[in-house]
């Protein structure tokens, strides 16, 4: 597709169906294209990790249109904590927040009790989550050790038809999002 996600129509229907069948998508994110899938669907997560050739012990980032889309993945937070976390976004800032125990280890990372989450500053990425009605996994669109894809053409060159492409422009950021452990306040990236 050459255009960003449309709010209605056949493309959006195909996109939702593709995700619910365990398909992978490539879409514009803040600095490059992102690779994504549904965060609670283990076969899709395994397919994404295999496609990227990414070590399985590393966790993945989940993006959302708003905090409500993240709540089913995160341990309950107080109203004060939700307000404080919500003030951080939208931004190219990923927070490690306490995770629900039932969240798949492949998503949070083996042995980890936190999940990396973000409400992106790129409106297109938030719109995509809103349009499909769920949070999405967001990892750079590249094979491990390769340069991240910045255009649809680069996505096609690296992945061919293995992913469904949501067209559009990236946010143009040169640096990846910050990663901050919310509990300790320590900046990890």
């Amino acid at each position: 597709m050459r255009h960003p996600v449309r709010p209605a129509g056949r493309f959006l229907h195909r996109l939702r169906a593709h995700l619910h069948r365990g398909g992978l998508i490539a879409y514009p994110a803040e600095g490059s294209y992102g690779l994504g899938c549904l965060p609670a669907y283990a076969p899709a997560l395994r397919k994404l990790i295999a496609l990227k050739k990414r070590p399985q012990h590393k966790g993945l980032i989940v993006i959302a249109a708003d905090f409500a889309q993240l709540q089913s993945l995160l341990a309950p937070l107080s109203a004060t904590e939700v307000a404080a976390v919500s003030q951080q976004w939208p931004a190219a800032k990923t927070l490690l927040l306490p995770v629900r125990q039932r969240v798949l280890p492949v998503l949070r990372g083996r042995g980890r009790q936190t999940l990396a989450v973000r409400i992106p500053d790129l409106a297109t990425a938030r719109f995509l989550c809103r349009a499909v009605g769920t949070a999405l996994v967001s990892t750079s669109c590249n094979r491990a050790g390769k340069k991240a894809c910045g255009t649809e053409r680069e996505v096609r060159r690296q992945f061919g038809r293995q992913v469904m492409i949501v067209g559009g422009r990236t946010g143009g950021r040169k640096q990846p999002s910050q990663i901050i452990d919310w509990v300790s306040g320590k900046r990890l990236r």
Side-chain angles (χ1 to χ4, degrees):
M1 291 283 133
R2 291 188 122 19
H3 303 287
V5 176
R6 297 179 195 118
R10 291 162 81 185
F11 178 73
L12 185 54
H13 178 74
R14 281 187 19 236
L15 180 64
R16 284 184 188 135
H18 178 75
L19 286 165
H20 287 282
R21 285 191 310 268
L24 305 179
I25 63 171
Y27 57 90
E30 289 101 338
S32 67
Y33 265 71
L35 277 179
C37 63
L38 296 179
Y41 193 52
L45 292 167
R46 285 192 292 273
K47 189 186 315 182
L48 182 133
I49 288 169
L51 182 68
K52 279 187 62 91
K53 299 181 180 174
R54 180 184 171 98
Q56 285 196 356
H57 69 278
K58 289 184 171 183
L60 295 163
I61 295 172
V62 176
I63 65 167
D66 53 43
F67 190 77
Q69 287 187 333
L70 299 170
Q71 286 182 313
S72 66
L73 301 169
L74 299 173
L77 299 173
S78 71
T80 303
E81 290 169 318
V82 170
V85 166
S86 296
Q87 286 180 358
Q88 302 296 311
W89 296 316
K93 185 184 291 187
T94 299
L95 301 178
L96 297 178
L97 294 173
V99 67
R100 290 187 189 267
Q101 289 306 307
R102 64 177 171 74
V103 169
L104 300 165
V106 70
L107 180 62
R108 58 185 153 110
R110 195 175 307 133
R112 296 191 179 157
Q113 302 304 311
T114 57
L115 182 64
V117 295
R118 178 171 78 247
I119 297 174
D121 62 353
L122 185 66
T124 305
R126 290 192 315 271
F127 176 79
L128 178 61
C129 292
R130 194 172 297 109
V132 297
T134 183
L136 293 167
V137 169
S138 182
T139 184
S140 60
C141 186
N142 62 309
R143 298 203 194 272
K146 302 273 185 184
K147 182 181 174 218
C149 299
T151 65
E152 279 183 69
R153 186 176 189 186
E154 291 172 10
V155 174
R156 281 196 184 87
R157 200 174 306 141
Q158 256 191 71
F159 297 107
R161 296 191 177 270
Q162 296 176 59
V163 299
M164 183 176 187
I165 300 173
V166 177
R169 298 179 81 141
T170 66
R173 284 184 56 87
K174 301 296 182 207
Q175 300 296 318
S177 67
Q178 295 177 23
I179 298 179
I180 298 169
D181 183 318
W182 183 252
V183 174
S184 71
K186 184 177 177 183
R187 183 174 170 177
L188 306 174
R189 177 173 80 182

